[in-house]
Amino acid sequence: MISIRNVTVDYGRGDKSVRAVENISLEIGKGESLALVGPSGCGKTTLLFSVAGLHRPVAGTIEVGDAPVLGPRKEVALILQNAGLLPWKTVLQNANLSLLLHKEFPANSADAVLEDLGLAGAKNRFPSELSEGMKRRVGIARALSTSPSVMLMDEPLASLDTLTKERIQDLFLELWKRHQFSQVLVTHDIEEAAFLGQRIVVLTERPARVKAVIENADMGELAYRGTETFMKKVRQLREALES
Ligand SMILES: Nc1ncnc2c1ncn2[C@@H]1O[C@H](COP(=O)(O)OP(=O)(O)OP(=O)(O)O)[C@@H](O)[C@H]1O
Ligand SMILES: [Mg+2]
């Protein structure tokens, strides 16, 4: 579904260029969930944005659903760290932005998705009137509104309190199982990676290369978080990051 082959991404050209990603190859199957972890500044966002069609690699190829990635596409949704809400727009207007961008609004609207995420009562409020958890859910509603087949997430739950974070992780698990999109989650949170990634890819310091790939086939149920297998996976992941 997502095919990343020998991808290298630089910022700038010539002497002053910065290599952010070096020769990464990853295959993410249809409906598969992959978590990407690595040191701060190593190149995670760069790689994710390249899959989203926002950066062009200097070498290698990226394909989504057998077509080369040339720019942003409706079937590829991206959720950002701060949810990317516009403060002067209401919840409903913010949730409709992706549809608007892809010229599907007003024929389609995010109303139903907002309802599904428990935000129907808040749709006329502004972001400043929402809790942090609600803001993140508006970002999720926006991403879901175009019925994507690929969900890309860049630290979507950073700086949330633990309980809110775990509640939205549970929501991510449920949405992923229900919609069966292919998913790539960039996170600093080792537990989040172990809860949501069927496969966890550990990247090196910049330029990002693949350091380790950890299989996590037992994930997929809410109760996984309380198991010994989960704890072991978290320890294994921590060791891979620190080695
Ligand atoms: N526009 C740019 N011009 C030059 N260098 C850049 C640019 N954007 C990012 N970089 C550099 O590329 C490297 C990778 O950046 P990237 O944002 O992908 O890292 P990251 O792994 O997502 O970091 P974090 O965990 O802090 O979010 C960093 O060292 C950064 O300084
Ligand atoms: Mg980043």
Side-chain angles (χ1 to χ4, degrees):
M1 179 72 200
I2 305 174
S3 170
I4 300 170
R5 288 195 207 108
N6 307 110
V7 163
T8 296
V9 188
D10 289 349
Y11 287 103
R13 285 163 193 265
D15 289 353
K16 295 217 177 79
S17 77
V18 174
R19 179 144 297 175
V21 171
E22 186 166 81
N23 197 23
I24 287 194
S25 295
L26 292 169
E27 297 283 329
I28 298 128
K30 190 167 169 7
E32 198 186 346
S33 177
L34 182 103
L36 272 182
V37 298
S40 189
C42 79
K44 302 179 293 295
T45 297
T46 307
L47 181 62
L48 196 75
F49 279 24
S50 303
V51 176
L54 300 171
H55 288 315
R56 192 66 71 82
V58 291
T61 56
I62 303 179
E63 289 179 0
V64 170
D66 295 329
V69 171
L70 302 172
R73 284 156 55 169
K74 184 172 82 90
E75 58 270 34
V76 180
L78 180 61
I79 300 180
L80 301 173
Q81 181 171 336
N82 58 7
L85 305 186
L86 301 177
W88 61 89
K89 291 198 181 283
T90 65
V91 164
L92 181 60
Q93 287 168 334
N94 267 294
N96 277 328
L97 280 178
S98 280
L99 290 165
L100 205 62
L101 181 74
H102 295 290
K103 303 190 169 47
E104 292 217 341
F105 183 85
N108 294 310
S109 155
D111 261 306
V113 187
L114 284 175
E115 171 123 31
D116 189 41
L117 296 185
L119 289 164
K123 66 182 185 181
N124 295 319
R125 289 203 229 161
F126 289 89
S128 61
E129 301 170 303
L130 306 177
S131 71
E132 272 309 311
M134 288 167 92
K135 286 184 204 168
R136 309 299 165 105
R137 280 189 284 136
V138 178
I140 298 167
R142 177 194 290 168
L144 288 174
S145 67
T146 57
S147 306
S149 55
V150 172
M151 184 65 80
L152 307 176
M153 299 181 273
D154 192 7
E155 298 184 44
L157 305 181
S159 67
L160 283 180
D161 66 89
T162 308
L163 285 181
T164 308
K165 189 189 281 191
E166 291 190 353
R167 221 173 299 136
I168 304 184
Q169 286 166 357
D170 292 353
L171 174 66
F172 277 143
L173 184 70
E174 194 246 316
L175 292 171
W176 169 67
K177 286 166 75 170
R178 178 146 43 109
H179 296 282
Q180 303 187 331
F181 33 66
S182 309
Q183 176 164 291
V184 182
L185 167 72
V186 167
T187 181
H188 273 123
D189 188 313
I190 299 178
E191 272 127 26
E192 187 167 293
F195 185 65
L196 288 170
Q198 284 174 306
R199 208 162 19 119
I200 304 153
V201 173
V202 181
L203 300 175
T204 62
E205 297 275 356
R206 188 183 70 78
R209 281 165 280 115
V210 175
K211 185 178 184 187
V213 179
I214 295 172
E215 297 293 338
N216 187 31
D218 291 321
M219 63 72 77
E221 298 300 330
L222 295 180
Y224 184 50
R225 207 186 265 118
T227 65
E228 185 56 35
T229 321
F230 175 78
M231 301 301 172
K232 269 197 203 143
K233 205 55 73 173
V234 168
R235 277 200 296 277
Q236 188 186 352
L237 197 46
R238 189 181 299 280
E239 280 162 20
L241 270 164
E242 287 172 352
S243 68

